[in-house]
Amino acid sequence: MSEVHLGCPPRFSGLYVSRFSVSSRPLGTSAGSDGRDECGGVCEQVASRSSSCDCGSPDAVTVDEDGDLILDRRRRNRERSDHVLAVQHGITSSLRSVGLQVWKAALLLTDFVLHKSFTSSEFNGVTAIEIGAGTGLVGLALARVAQKVFITDRGSDILDNCLANVQLNSSILKIDEAKTYVRELNWKMSWPPPVATCNPSDPSSRYLWSRSEIEAAEEGTALFAADVIYSDDLTDLFFGTAKKLMSRGAAKVLYLTLEKRYNFSLDELDVVANGYKHFRSFFTVQDESGALDVTTCRPDFVGEQMDLTEVPQYIREYDRGKDLEMWKIMYNPNPE
């Protein structure tokens, strides 16, 4: 069970719709240029949980400079959300269907996309691919500004849910459904996938690729993946798929977020983050100056860890904690 779903009905079965509130002003910012808001004092954000799940979670609580509570009715207009993301998801799932849940790394990557869309034109008009999309949350945020978005995963249950989320948000976010494609991308299969046509008698055929879609995806410039690092075998398959996509067509950048989850390892006889060491073995690390760490040399990819303090939080309903990371990864076809 994802921590994002804490507070949702614990014995609820089936899919559930949560509403994530998005403000164009990040959490912790005040209405006035001097840091003072309408309550007349400097306010400190001390919690960021709200009722997005419609599950009875409390709204954000703030205090003034004297430590007194600021009541919600005095702040309602100022903190009104500009957007709402409606996401259908499972509250719990089996390991095979973890893509039906919303995970913190997906919310972080969505914050990154929102930040870029609010403050720059970097993703305006791009063709983007979300790999291992799960609920499709990141792809939905991209669809607001991108020319085309391919939201990809595998399994009819997960793909059906992605499509439902596109339809849920098309009017809310003014998403052009004709430019938002939910497609199956099986990491165990080669790229490009076989070309197929939709068969009305087979509902799953709607997720197959056309030749023009494959060509458009290969000319895309941005890849996104959230919380796909938790199994060494899947990490192998993921980077194999990323290499196939990034080695064809236009130059691409992969933005990847993950959550380090710690467990005791009998092999290491220590508490370690599952799959993290294996993940880091796939690329050479580049620091802020552009220098490469030769001790981590891996021929196919170069990765740069991004500073999360430069990614403001626009979505209220999660706590980032200390175990989230974000990486910008480039394909390196001609390593020296």
Side-chain angles (χ1 to χ4, degrees):
M1 178 179 180
S2 168
E3 291 181 7
V4 176
H5 303 148
L6 294 176
C8 292
R11 289 174 293 278
F12 185 87
S13 61
L15 297 174
Y16 190 83
V17 176
S18 290
R19 291 173 173 80
F20 294 90
S21 51
V22 179
S23 174
S24 58
R25 188 172 67 249
L27 290 181
T29 58
S30 59
S33 60
D34 61 352
R36 293 178 178 269
D37 68 0
E38 62 194 47
C39 68
V42 177
C43 295
E44 176 188 1
Q45 188 84 28
V46 297
S48 60
R49 297 295 301 275
S50 82
S51 56
S52 70
C53 283
D54 295 332
C55 310
S57 301
D59 275 343
V61 177
T62 54
V63 296
D64 63 19
E65 59 188 349
D66 298 319
D68 297 323
L69 286 174
I70 300 168
L71 298 181
D72 178 67
R73 66 176 178 268
R74 299 172 65 183
R75 301 168 57 87
R76 189 176 304 277
N77 291 334
R78 187 178 60 82
E79 291 192 338
R80 184 175 61 247
S81 298
D82 297 328
H83 306 285
V84 173
L85 280 166
V87 181
Q88 179 174 274
H89 62 87
I91 295 175
T92 62
S93 70
S94 65
L95 184 61
R96 187 190 69 83
S97 300
V98 292
L100 290 175
Q101 295 196 58
V102 180
W103 301 93
K104 289 198 292 185
L107 294 169
L108 169 60
L109 192 53
T110 302
D111 270 335
F112 172 73
V113 170
L114 291 171
H115 182 57
K116 290 294 184 181
S117 67
F118 290 150
T119 62
S120 76
S121 59
E122 184 172 339
F123 295 146
N124 290 10
V126 302
T127 294
I129 308 172
E130 185 182 5
I131 308 173
T135 61
L137 179 59
V138 177
L140 293 173
L142 280 165
R144 296 177 57 252
V145 295
Q147 180 181 13
K148 291 182 180 179
V149 177
F150 293 94
I151 299 175
T152 72
D153 213 308
R154 68 180 298 265
S156 58
D157 54 344
I158 292 175
L159 294 170
D160 286 346
N161 192 55
C162 280
L163 183 59
N165 282 327
V166 171
Q167 294 167 345
L168 270 173
N169 289 276
S170 60
S171 59
I172 299 173
L173 299 179
K174 297 180 174 59
I175 293 173
D176 186 348
E177 291 187 40
K179 296 180 180 179
T180 308
Y181 305 83
V182 176
R183 292 294 178 263
E184 182 160 35
L185 183 56
N186 187 339
W187 302 349
K188 294 182 179 180
M189 305 292 288
S190 62
W191 177 272
V195 175
T197 56
C198 184
N199 180 355
S201 64
D202 180 10
S204 65
S205 69
R206 73 179 72 181
Y207 305 123
L208 301 178
W209 297 74
S210 69
R211 189 178 304 279
S212 62
E213 290 167 0
I214 292 171
E215 292 172 353
E218 291 182 348
E219 292 306 314
T221 55
L223 307 180
F224 298 82
D227 219 338
V228 296
I229 306 300
Y230 50 87
S231 158
D232 288 356
D233 291 340
L234 287 177
T235 300
D236 292 340
L237 293 172
F238 170 79
F239 275 101
T241 298
K243 181 177 178 180
K244 293 168 190 172
L245 284 168
M246 299 177 82
S247 62
R248 301 171 69 100
K252 300 172 179 64
V253 176
L254 166 63
Y255 296 99
L256 182 148
T257 55
L258 60 90
E259 181 177 3
K260 296 163 73 174
R261 298 180 176 89
Y262 293 90
N263 289 285
F264 184 81
S265 167
L266 290 176
D267 293 333
E268 302 283 343
L269 294 179
D270 198 359
V271 176
V272 299
N274 288 346
Y276 184 74
K277 183 177 180 181
H278 189 61
F279 159 72
R280 289 288 298 267
S281 74
F282 273 90
F283 51 87
T284 303
V285 177
Q286 178 176 283
D287 62 23
E288 294 180 356
S289 68
L292 299 180
D293 181 356
V294 296
T295 65
T296 62
C297 185
R298 182 86 178 192
D300 294 331
F301 298 97
V302 174
E304 175 188 351
Q305 186 170 1
M306 302 181 69
D307 184 354
L308 297 190
T309 63
E310 297 180 1
V311 183
Q313 185 169 342
Y314 295 89
I315 300 175
R316 297 178 62 191
E317 290 80 17
Y318 77 112
D319 178 6
R320 287 187 180 175
K322 299 179 180 179
D323 297 321
L324 292 177
E325 288 187 1
M326 181 168 181
W327 290 83
K328 178 180 180 181
I329 298 174
M330 289 74 68
Y331 179 58
N332 187 28
N334 299 305
E336 296 181 357

